[in-house]
Amino acid sequence: MLNRKISRRSILLGAATTVVVVSSSRSARAQADPLPAWNDGPAKQAILDFVHAMDQVPQKDRIATFDQDGTLWVEHPVYTQAMFALERVHTLAPQHPEWKDQEPFKSVLANDEAAIAKFGERDWAEIVFATHAGMSQAEFQDIVGRWLATAKHPRFKRPYTELVYQPMREVMDYLRANGFKTYIVTGGGVDFVRNYAERIYGVPPEQVIGSSIATKYEIRDGKPELMRLPKLFFDDDHAGKAIGIDLFIGKRPYAAFGNSTGDREMLEWIGAGQGARLKMLVHHDDAQREYAYGPAGGLPDTHVGTFDQSLMDEAKAKGWVVISMKSDWKRVFAFD
Amino acid sequence: MLNRKISRRSILLGAATTVVVVSSSRSARAQADPLPAWNDGPAKQAILDFVHAMDQVPQKDRIATFDQDGTLWVEHPVYTQAMFALERVHTLAPQHPEWKDQEPFKSVLANDEAAIAKFGERDWAEIVFATHAGMSQAEFQDIVGRWLATAKHPRFKRPYTELVYQPMREVMDYLRANGFKTYIVTGGGVDFVRNYAERIYGVPPEQVIGSSIATKYEIRDGKPELMRLPKLFFDDDHAGKAIGIDLFIGKRPYAAFGNSTGDREMLEWIGAGQGARLKMLVHHDDAQREYAYGPAGGLPDTHVGTFDQSLMDEAKAKGWVVISMKSDWKRVFAFD
């Protein structure tokens, strides 16, 4: 049953690449490749070997968790959700004349990039609460959906929802074809990500774990609503990712994918399980096709995940596989 | 595909009842009955009609939520988890000589049932924190598993895990056979219920939503552990059930089953959705086979869910279906 699924999918995935392949044995190999956007190398091989080892694991325990920003889609120059929040401040400004003289809103409205780059946690919390709270869950979903339909990334000039890494989408598909449940475990807001996760990653709302603000049950006009409050409920980052996985799933995943120190504890938690466990980190070292930051240097990572030397050292010490965007990925985006 | 699943399952479920059936037409009906532990009547019919109406709903949206204590298994004379906590106080007493003179532990150790019946929220919190915190998640699972293996219900003299309502297990099976994901949404502790939910209800850990205490990520002897803290994190009862459903699932379920005022907001939340939604309440009115409390009178509900007149009134006003244990259930337990 599973094998049939895989080979059907593999044929579909491989179809585009067979055109340039010459010998029949190479063609057969290309057709069987579930990861055509990956170059051959240790990262791709680690994924293939891991899935092979999963024959030993009951299907109900096959869980894989993926960080989102910087792991599944572009996070530079600023998280998509932060961009949403900044643009939302502009949209709401007419209803808040006081923001013109009040930080951090003043700097946002003045598009003062230097000031925004220096925002601390408290500034961002104020911006998030002003833009993400004070409405019902249904109203928030409507606002996010409408924003995503028109917003574009400043460099790629495409909707954010197109800036998904094609190799990672292939990994998700490949794992699902092998009986895995794929989860997103994001430091971002769970309700924001649920708005599009099924559409662009094939991950349903109940498999998105993320940070959340508190909500309050209220009867409005005789109808129950969940109102969003300006108060953090759960911070699903760093240790919060291990805690969130335990709280929402209650099982230790077999595979985890991240790209920053915010994913460190998630990878440690998965790695402490017995048997084959796949721990991977995306390293942004491709300034040409995407961005180069972290140990690859180049860009500042003020607003994005930090991939510092300590994470690289831990990866080496613990056998976590570092994915080089530049050398491991044949294609970065579906539109490449 | 679905139909095939249903009929195969129905044949299996019906097999035991066909022996006593005489005419061939009756036999065919018995074999097709997915709910053999239910008497014919409005409650059973409501379930059958609801599942029929679900043809219109995409399978990915078919979510059903079940309260646990008093809805899926016996909650009288005290919640199973409260029994665990009380017995655990006795077990831990030698390490806590101070408890002999310190309430609420003093009353527990003296088996002072009158005092225990008067415990307030703060007393129970102290007992829960003393018995459910201060160990890792893995250690807690081990403690719960060992307790469940030997503990017995004071009246039925059977393991608690056998005190599951057979009609409700049939509803879960029937819904799953029709493409539903079944969730438990309990005021009880999520980690306690996850210990056995898959084994006795077929509900995997990731589909158990419940109350939780805070955990802390710690490296012990080089290995990450999640340590349980004496601090409430999430109270999954009353409004918390609607909030928990939204937080953990992110979709509005189509069916919900409860038995107390703690389930009121869950049923209201489900009922506010469009299209066919099934809202059911188990009414404990069967002193002979189980217990009679709530509007059916008889026993006090000090430690169990409250089914008061206001809930009965709301059920009538909103078309929620009240299940009479006495008249709607042909069998109560699998061992009947």
Side-chain angles (χ1 to χ4, degrees), chain B residues 132-146:
Chain B
H132 288 63
M135 70 289 278
S136 72
Q137 287 287 55
E139 286 160 353
F140 181 70
Q141 286 303 332
D142 187 52
I143 292 165
V144 174
R146 279 188 287 118

PDB file of all heavy atoms in Angstrom, chain B residues 132-146:
ATOM      1  N   HIS B 132       1.199  15.445  41.063  1.00  0.00           N
ATOM      2  CA  HIS B 132       1.346  15.475  39.607  1.00  0.00           C
ATOM      3  C   HIS B 132       2.559  16.269  39.142  1.00  0.00           C
ATOM      4  O   HIS B 132       2.814  16.342  37.946  1.00  0.00           O
ATOM      5  CB  HIS B 132       0.105  16.095  38.954  1.00  0.00           C
ATOM      6  CG  HIS B 132      -1.114  15.236  38.975  1.00  0.00           C
ATOM      7  ND1 HIS B 132      -1.739  14.832  40.130  1.00  0.00           N
ATOM      8  CD2 HIS B 132      -1.852  14.705  37.965  1.00  0.00           C
ATOM      9  CE1 HIS B 132      -2.801  14.099  39.827  1.00  0.00           C
ATOM     10  NE2 HIS B 132      -2.896  14.005  38.530  1.00  0.00           N
ATOM     11  N   ALA B 133       3.266  16.916  40.063  1.00  0.00           N
ATOM     12  CA  ALA B 133       4.412  17.752  39.666  1.00  0.00           C
ATOM     13  C   ALA B 133       5.671  17.261  40.377  1.00  0.00           C
ATOM     14  O   ALA B 133       5.607  16.416  41.269  1.00  0.00           O
ATOM     15  CB  ALA B 133       4.147  19.212  39.993  1.00  0.00           C
ATOM     16  N   GLY B 134       6.831  17.783  39.934  1.00  0.00           N
ATOM     17  CA  GLY B 134       8.096  17.437  40.571  1.00  0.00           C
ATOM     18  C   GLY B 134       8.765  16.228  39.957  1.00  0.00           C
ATOM     19  O   GLY B 134       9.735  15.706  40.514  1.00  0.00           O
ATOM     20  N   MET B 135       8.248  15.793  38.811  1.00  0.00           N
ATOM     21  CA  MET B 135       8.909  14.691  38.103  1.00  0.00           C
ATOM     22  C   MET B 135       8.889  15.023  36.601  1.00  0.00           C
ATOM     23  O   MET B 135       8.232  15.972  36.179  1.00  0.00           O
ATOM     24  CB  MET B 135       8.216  13.354  38.384  1.00  0.00           C
ATOM     25  CG  MET B 135       6.851  13.167  37.772  1.00  0.00           C
ATOM     26  SD  MET B 135       5.527  14.159  38.527  1.00  0.00           S
ATOM     27  CE  MET B 135       5.116  13.159  39.966  1.00  0.00           C
ATOM     28  N   SER B 136       9.605  14.226  35.814  1.00  0.00           N
ATOM     29  CA  SER B 136       9.596  14.459  34.372  1.00  0.00           C
ATOM     30  C   SER B 136       8.314  13.886  33.775  1.00  0.00           C
ATOM     31  O   SER B 136       7.616  13.081  34.413  1.00  0.00           O
ATOM     32  CB  SER B 136      10.816  13.806  33.722  1.00  0.00           C
ATOM     33  OG  SER B 136      10.651  12.400  33.718  1.00  0.00           O
ATOM     34  N   GLN B 137       8.018  14.289  32.550  1.00  0.00           N
ATOM     35  CA  GLN B 137       6.849  13.744  31.854  1.00  0.00           C
ATOM     36  C   GLN B 137       6.945  12.215  31.760  1.00  0.00           C
ATOM     37  O   GLN B 137       5.956  11.514  31.955  1.00  0.00           O
ATOM     38  CB  GLN B 137       6.761  14.330  30.432  1.00  0.00           C
ATOM     39  CG  GLN B 137       6.320  15.794  30.382  1.00  0.00           C
ATOM     40  CD  GLN B 137       4.838  15.968  30.683  1.00  0.00           C
ATOM     41  OE1 GLN B 137       4.351  15.530  31.727  1.00  0.00           O
ATOM     42  NE2 GLN B 137       4.126  16.602  29.775  1.00  0.00           N
ATOM     43  N   ALA B 138       8.136  11.715  31.454  1.00  0.00           N
ATOM     44  CA  ALA B 138       8.301  10.268  31.302  1.00  0.00           C
ATOM     45  C   ALA B 138       8.047   9.561  32.636  1.00  0.00           C
ATOM     46  O   ALA B 138       7.390   8.517  32.685  1.00  0.00           O
ATOM     47  CB  ALA B 138       9.709   9.954  30.785  1.00  0.00           C
ATOM     48  N   GLU B 139       8.565  10.136  33.733  1.00  0.00           N
ATOM     49  CA  GLU B 139       8.352   9.534  35.056  1.00  0.00           C
ATOM     50  C   GLU B 139       6.861   9.537  35.424  1.00  0.00           C
ATOM     51  O   GLU B 139       6.347   8.572  35.986  1.00  0.00           O
ATOM     52  CB  GLU B 139       9.160  10.293  36.116  1.00  0.00           C
ATOM     53  CG  GLU B 139      10.656   9.994  36.056  1.00  0.00           C
ATOM     54  CD  GLU B 139      11.531  11.050  36.739  1.00  0.00           C
ATOM     55  OE1 GLU B 139      10.994  12.106  37.152  1.00  0.00           O
ATOM     56  OE2 GLU B 139      12.747  10.819  36.834  1.00  0.00           O
ATOM     57  N   PHE B 140       6.184  10.639  35.090  1.00  0.00           N
ATOM     58  CA  PHE B 140       4.754  10.726  35.404  1.00  0.00           C
ATOM     59  C   PHE B 140       3.975   9.647  34.640  1.00  0.00           C
ATOM     60  O   PHE B 140       3.099   8.973  35.206  1.00  0.00           O
ATOM     61  CB  PHE B 140       4.219  12.119  35.066  1.00  0.00           C
ATOM     62  CG  PHE B 140       2.759  12.296  35.386  1.00  0.00           C
ATOM     63  CD1 PHE B 140       2.318  12.339  36.704  1.00  0.00           C
ATOM     64  CD2 PHE B 140       1.813  12.417  34.375  1.00  0.00           C
ATOM     65  CE1 PHE B 140       0.967  12.492  37.004  1.00  0.00           C
ATOM     66  CE2 PHE B 140       0.461  12.574  34.662  1.00  0.00           C
ATOM     67  CZ  PHE B 140       0.040  12.611  35.979  1.00  0.00           C
ATOM     68  N   GLN B 141       4.298   9.460  33.366  1.00  0.00           N
ATOM     69  CA  GLN B 141       3.610   8.428  32.581  1.00  0.00           C
ATOM     70  C   GLN B 141       3.805   7.053  33.220  1.00  0.00           C
ATOM     71  O   GLN B 141       2.895   6.227  33.246  1.00  0.00           O
ATOM     72  CB  GLN B 141       4.113   8.411  31.136  1.00  0.00           C
ATOM     73  CG  GLN B 141       3.604   9.582  30.292  1.00  0.00           C
ATOM     74  CD  GLN B 141       2.083   9.665  30.251  1.00  0.00           C
ATOM     75  OE1 GLN B 141       1.381   8.668  30.380  1.00  0.00           O
ATOM     76  NE2 GLN B 141       1.550  10.872  30.105  1.00  0.00           N
ATOM     77  N   ASP B 142       4.983   6.825  33.705  1.00  0.00           N
ATOM     78  CA  ASP B 142       5.290   5.546  34.333  1.00  0.00           C
ATOM     79  C   ASP B 142       4.445   5.354  35.601  1.00  0.00           C
ATOM     80  O   ASP B 142       3.871   4.277  35.833  1.00  0.00           O
ATOM     81  CB  ASP B 142       6.792   5.524  34.666  1.00  0.00           C
ATOM     82  CG  ASP B 142       7.222   4.170  35.175  1.00  0.00           C
ATOM     83  OD1 ASP B 142       6.935   3.173  34.483  1.00  0.00           O
ATOM     84  OD2 ASP B 142       7.824   4.107  36.261  1.00  0.00           O
ATOM     85  N   ILE B 143       4.348   6.399  36.414  1.00  0.00           N
ATOM     86  CA  ILE B 143       3.563   6.336  37.658  1.00  0.00           C
ATOM     87  C   ILE B 143       2.084   6.070  37.351  1.00  0.00           C
ATOM     88  O   ILE B 143       1.445   5.213  37.963  1.00  0.00           O
ATOM     89  CB  ILE B 143       3.726   7.661  38.454  1.00  0.00           C
ATOM     90  CG1 ILE B 143       5.159   7.797  38.993  1.00  0.00           C
ATOM     91  CG2 ILE B 143       2.706   7.742  39.585  1.00  0.00           C
ATOM     92  CD1 ILE B 143       5.502   9.204  39.472  1.00  0.00           C
ATOM     93  N   VAL B 144       1.544   6.804  36.382  1.00  0.00           N
ATOM     94  CA  VAL B 144       0.123   6.649  36.028  1.00  0.00           C
ATOM     95  C   VAL B 144      -0.148   5.242  35.485  1.00  0.00           C
ATOM     96  O   VAL B 144      -1.107   4.577  35.879  1.00  0.00           O
ATOM     97  CB  VAL B 144      -0.315   7.709  34.989  1.00  0.00           C
ATOM     98  CG1 VAL B 144      -1.744   7.447  34.512  1.00  0.00           C
ATOM     99  CG2 VAL B 144      -0.202   9.114  35.576  1.00  0.00           C
ATOM    100  N   GLY B 145       0.734   4.781  34.617  1.00  0.00           N
ATOM    101  CA  GLY B 145       0.543   3.458  34.020  1.00  0.00           C
ATOM    102  C   GLY B 145       0.539   2.356  35.070  1.00  0.00           C
ATOM    103  O   GLY B 145      -0.290   1.435  35.017  1.00  0.00           O
ATOM    104  N   ARG B 146       1.447   2.471  36.046  1.00  0.00           N
ATOM    105  CA  ARG B 146       1.513   1.442  37.088  1.00  0.00           C
ATOM    106  C   ARG B 146       0.286   1.497  37.993  1.00  0.00           C
ATOM    107  O   ARG B 146      -0.241   0.471  38.409  1.00  0.00           O
ATOM    108  CB  ARG B 146       2.823   1.578  37.892  1.00  0.00           C
ATOM    109  CG  ARG B 146       4.005   0.929  37.147  1.00  0.00           C
ATOM    110  CD  ARG B 146       5.275   0.874  37.986  1.00  0.00           C
ATOM    111  NE  ARG B 146       5.869   2.186  38.123  1.00  0.00           N
ATOM    112  CZ  ARG B 146       6.051   2.834  39.271  1.00  0.00           C
ATOM    113  NH1 ARG B 146       5.694   2.255  40.406  1.00  0.00           N
ATOM    114  NH2 ARG B 146       6.596   4.028  39.296  1.00  0.00           N
TER     115      ARG B 146
END
